[in-house]
Amino acid sequence: MKCIHCETNSKLKERADRKCPKCGHAFAFEPTQDVLKVTDPLFHGAIQAVSLKGTLFFTRKQLYWELCRFLEKKSLPGCALGKKKGPDATIKAPKVSYSDFVSNYLNRWVSIHGRPEKLVGLEKSRSVAAPIPTELENYSFDRALIVEDAEIAAMLVKNRFHFENNCAILSLDRRFPAPETLQMVLGMLQRNPNLAVFALHDCSDAGLGMSGELRSPEWFPDLSVRIYDLGLRFEQLPARGLLGVAGVVELSSLRPGKLMKSAYLGFSQASQYSSGDAWIDSGYGYYYIGDSYPIWGGDSVTGGMDSGSYDSFG
């Protein structure tokens, strides 16, 4: 196994103490004792891939799904379980559960190598959130991005998506931002007659009902406020590389760069909305349907479109 610090390759007998024989750094994993054969270089590679070589913040779930992709690539053909959920869309089961990932891999990595620099923790993100100055209470964004998952919302803010796209970012479960900030921002948004709301959610039964939830009195009951559904839908997903659990494809299975670029593209397409185009009115919100998968397109929904940029995220 190769040391991630000095790149020295060592045989099992040379690292009996689980340390690099050259530089002395400890190894987090011993592949000969792990059913999945996870190594330090493999885990480090997953961190580099999900963070776009250390340039983007990411969540624990995003790192989990990245490791699952790395493990999938190591598998022999036909090893993964598959389940048909739509036209030519195969959902592959992950080879490790999220709880096992945290306890057996992430926690072990942190104890040996430290916390990855770009890893976002919701509790940390909330603790550094500053209150909105009183003089800005009458200001409002013209766009609001409501995210089903609070950690994804925190990740977007850490990557300055709100700044680059002039939009407020809130989570559907009201865990992000902090309660006092959320109530102030929500009040500002509800007073804006030109507001456009965008829902970003998993491909799941709960996610597909998110636009309806956003029509409730505590969110945006005013029917003049358009709600655009930018969430994952099976009919919009490319056929290859889908990883999920029990018929669900999570937003977290997308790398940060892919997720942000797709949301930005959704903003752009919604701004060009006109009657009769591909935005379909479901009664609760608008969603995009097109043969070319214009929002979630790419070589693979889980790995494509992480290079290049529609705006300043490249």
Side-chain angles (χ1 to χ4, degrees):
M1 182 168 61
K2 182 179 289 188
C3 175
I4 65 171
H5 297 283
C6 69
E7 298 190 347
T8 297
N9 271 315
S10 61
K11 297 179 180 179
L12 178 59
K13 63 181 181 180
E14 296 173 325
R15 57 177 191 272
D17 58 354
R18 300 191 68 160
K19 292 183 179 180
C20 174
K22 182 176 180 179
C23 69
H25 276 94
F27 290 107
F29 311 116
E30 176 48 63
T32 62
Q33 299 175 11
D34 180 38
V35 66
L36 296 176
K37 308 299 182 185
V38 173
T39 65
D40 288 40
L42 186 144
F43 198 91
H44 182 254
I47 293 174
Q48 289 294 98
V50 75
S51 67
L52 201 58
K53 297 183 179 179
T55 61
L56 295 175
F57 288 91
F58 58 91
T59 70
R60 291 169 292 184
K61 271 289 188 75
Q62 286 177 314
L63 178 57
Y64 162 67
W65 286 114
E66 192 65 47
L67 181 65
C68 288
R69 282 192 288 275
F70 271 57
L71 295 173
E72 188 68 29
K73 291 176 183 177
K74 290 179 57 181
S75 302
L76 295 174
C79 285
L81 298 177
K83 183 178 181 182
K84 293 287 186 180
K85 292 299 293 185
D88 300 319
T90 298
I91 307 303
K92 296 180 179 179
K95 297 188 177 300
V96 59
S97 69
Y98 178 66
S99 60
D100 285 345
F101 159 77
V102 173
S103 60
N104 298 336
Y105 298 103
L106 180 58
N107 289 348
R108 176 66 181 170
W109 179 272
V110 171
S111 69
I112 298 298
H113 298 298
R115 183 185 178 91
E117 180 185 2
K118 296 295 185 177
L119 179 62
V120 173
L122 181 59
E123 66 287 343
K124 184 175 181 180
S125 298
R126 289 182 60 177
S127 66
V128 299
I132 297 177
T134 304
E135 61 269 22
L136 295 182
E137 289 188 21
N138 292 324
Y139 173 82
S140 182
F141 298 99
D142 285 336
R143 288 188 293 218
L145 182 64
I146 314 301
V147 187
E148 186 178 11
D149 181 82
E151 288 202 349
I152 290 291
M155 177 275 295
L156 292 172
V157 169
K158 290 291 287 185
N159 283 317
R160 296 171 61 82
F161 184 85
H162 63 307
F163 178 79
E164 296 284 347
N165 292 277
N166 192 31
C167 70
I169 298 178
L170 311 172
S171 70
L172 185 65
D173 61 6
R174 297 174 175 262
R175 293 195 299 129
F176 185 89
E180 61 277 7
T181 303
L182 185 146
Q183 285 304 121
M184 184 179 295
V185 172
L186 189 55
M188 293 159 54
L189 293 172
Q190 290 170 337
R191 292 192 295 270
N192 185 349
N194 300 314
L195 180 67
V197 176
F198 298 83
L200 196 58
H201 58 74
D202 296 341
C203 187
S204 65
D205 290 341
L208 294 175
M210 183 173 169
S211 294
E213 288 190 57
L214 292 179
R215 281 301 185 201
S216 63
E218 61 269 25
W219 285 101
F220 307 102
D222 186 348
L223 296 181
S224 67
V225 175
R226 278 182 173 165
I227 297 177
Y228 295 95
D229 189 336
L230 302 185
L232 293 176
R233 292 172 176 270
F234 281 112
E235 63 266 35
Q236 292 179 293
L237 299 179
R240 296 185 299 152
L242 301 181
L243 290 171
V245 179
V248 175
V249 177
E250 296 182 347
L251 278 175
S252 297
S253 67
L254 304 172
R255 293 172 181 165
K258 165 68 175 177
L259 182 57
M260 291 190 292
K261 289 166 190 171
S262 298
Y264 172 80
L265 183 57
F267 284 178
S268 178
Q269 291 178 340
S271 68
Q272 301 170 25
Y273 172 83
S274 62
S275 179
D277 68 10
W279 285 97
I280 308 300
D281 185 359
S282 67
Y284 292 106
Y286 295 89
Y287 63 94
Y288 199 100
I289 293 294
D291 293 337
S292 60
Y293 310 112
I295 296 176
W296 298 109
D299 292 337
S300 165
V301 70
T302 55
M305 295 176 62
D306 273 332
S307 61
S309 179
Y310 293 106
D311 60 350
S312 59
F313 283 107

